[in-house]
Amino acid sequence: MIIPEQIVFTRLQRLRDHVQKYSSDSCIKLLELDKAPLSKSLMVILSTLAFVLTIPLQQYQQYFIYNLQAIKQDQQVWRIISARTVYLDLKDLFCSCLLIYNFRIFERRYGSQKFASFLLGSWVLSAVMDLLLVEALHHTFDMSVNILPSGFLGPIFALFVPFYFSIPSVQVVQILGRFSITNKTLVYIMGLQLLTSSTTTWILAFSGLLSGIVYHYNVLKVQRLLCVPKWVTRCASFILEPLFSSADPTDEAPIGMGATLEIQRQQRMEMLDQQIMLAQLNQNNRRHRWQGGLINWNRLFPPLRNRFPANNQQQESGLNRPSTVAPVSEEQVARLMEMGFSRVDAMEALRATNNDLNMATNILLQH
């Protein structure tokens, strides 16, 4: 598929404007968000509390049961905090940790403060919606629900809302020509597993999704009311970041920030292809300097060999002919010079790519 020159020129201009928009300090801040200390601390703290209450301190599990009757009748409001934070089922803990690991992309993209504000807002909203939904079921269908699953389930289900609307879907494989497996399929499967872990989990899932929609679209300015103050973020960053942060990767290019794993792999493959093309171009340039002849474009672009007929006589006659190079388009040279490249580099890249403006631009950007 050949991309029109005007579209390529427009995309390159947007790319240059986007790169010039951010300074070096902004790039450093974006790299710091890759640590995701809040997501890591959530996984560690929730796992530690769950294992402690399961094995050595099993007799204290009664204080972490999400008992709605005890909350309403006995005024045990503290159960809302304890029961809606600590897991008592290790299967729910495992699925939740996997989902937090996948949802850490939001902390990288928006920052720890905004991510913490979303968790706090969805946690408060889902706690209120749990009680309202149980009362609605009791008065409408005469369905009595006294105990709900414990754990940090409300914000987990709420994170599916920005995951659905903000993360692009990239097809990985297609089964039977109809069913597409995307980069988001595994996350939805884990959410379905968490949903079917108990008969009453759907109540928490519904309230979590509803609270995620309310907070995501900022209904009634809820994002301003339920947000984490900056001083709390600074204190938590001072305490948690040294414990749970990790060094930035040194052997990989910092690309795909805030992108899914499949998009990052695709970007790395594109960069690898461009590096291979550059290596081939440099190798042929060295041969050109050593041998003093024209570049053998058939070695640089192996598919061009198929254009020669299969007849041996025609192949021999073709080898005896002097190699010809397509003339460089002055219009495309002018386009590349307008982007800031020199005339010599532009002409060399266009010769190497047989006047393909898209491939020539990629070579010049990576050179």
Side-chain angles (χ1 to χ4, degrees), residues 289-312:
R289 289 193 297 268
W290 292 342
Q291 299 177 2
L294 294 176
I295 298 177
N296 188 357
W297 300 109
N298 291 332
R299 289 190 178 183
L300 184 59
F301 299 100
L304 295 179
R305 298 178 181 177
N306 299 329
R307 297 183 180 180
F308 291 95
N311 194 344
N312 295 330

Side-chain angles (χ1 to χ4, degrees), residues 126 129-130 133 157 195 201-213:
S126 59
M129 292 178 184
D130 286 344
L133 186 58
F157 284 108
L195 177 64
T201 309
W202 66 270
I203 298 177
L204 300 176
F206 184 80
S207 62
L209 292 174
L210 189 58
S211 63
I213 294 174

Side-chain angles (χ1 to χ4, degrees), residues 79-110:
R79 285 186 180 269
I80 298 179
I81 300 176
S82 62
R84 301 190 76 256
T85 304
V86 181
Y87 288 90
L88 297 180
D89 191 346
L90 295 182
K91 293 182 295 183
D92 293 348
L93 172 67
F94 178 74
C95 294
S96 298
C97 288
L98 289 178
L99 290 173
I100 293 174
Y101 178 79
N102 284 276
F103 291 148
R104 75 193 187 282
I105 184 175
F106 297 113
E107 185 177 3
R108 294 176 176 178
R109 176 177 295 185
Y110 304 126

Side-chain angles (χ1 to χ4, degrees), residues 264-325:
Q264 295 179 16
R265 289 175 179 173
Q266 183 179 359
Q267 292 174 346
R268 291 193 179 95
M269 290 301 297
E270 291 176 357
M271 292 186 63
L272 180 61
D273 293 338
Q274 294 173 2
Q275 292 174 1
I276 293 174
M277 186 182 299
L278 286 173
Q280 292 176 346
L281 177 61
N282 295 331
Q283 182 180 4
N284 282 277
N285 288 338
R286 287 194 297 269
R287 291 179 181 177
H288 174 69
R289 289 193 297 268
W290 292 342
Q291 299 177 2
L294 294 176
I295 298 177
N296 188 357
W297 300 109
N298 291 332
R299 289 190 178 183
L300 184 59
F301 299 100
L304 295 179
R305 298 178 181 177
N306 299 329
R307 297 183 180 180
F308 291 95
N311 194 344
N312 295 330
Q313 297 179 355
Q314 293 180 356
Q315 287 182 355
E316 293 177 358
S317 62
L319 292 175
N320 294 328
R321 298 174 185 173
S323 59
T324 59
V325 182

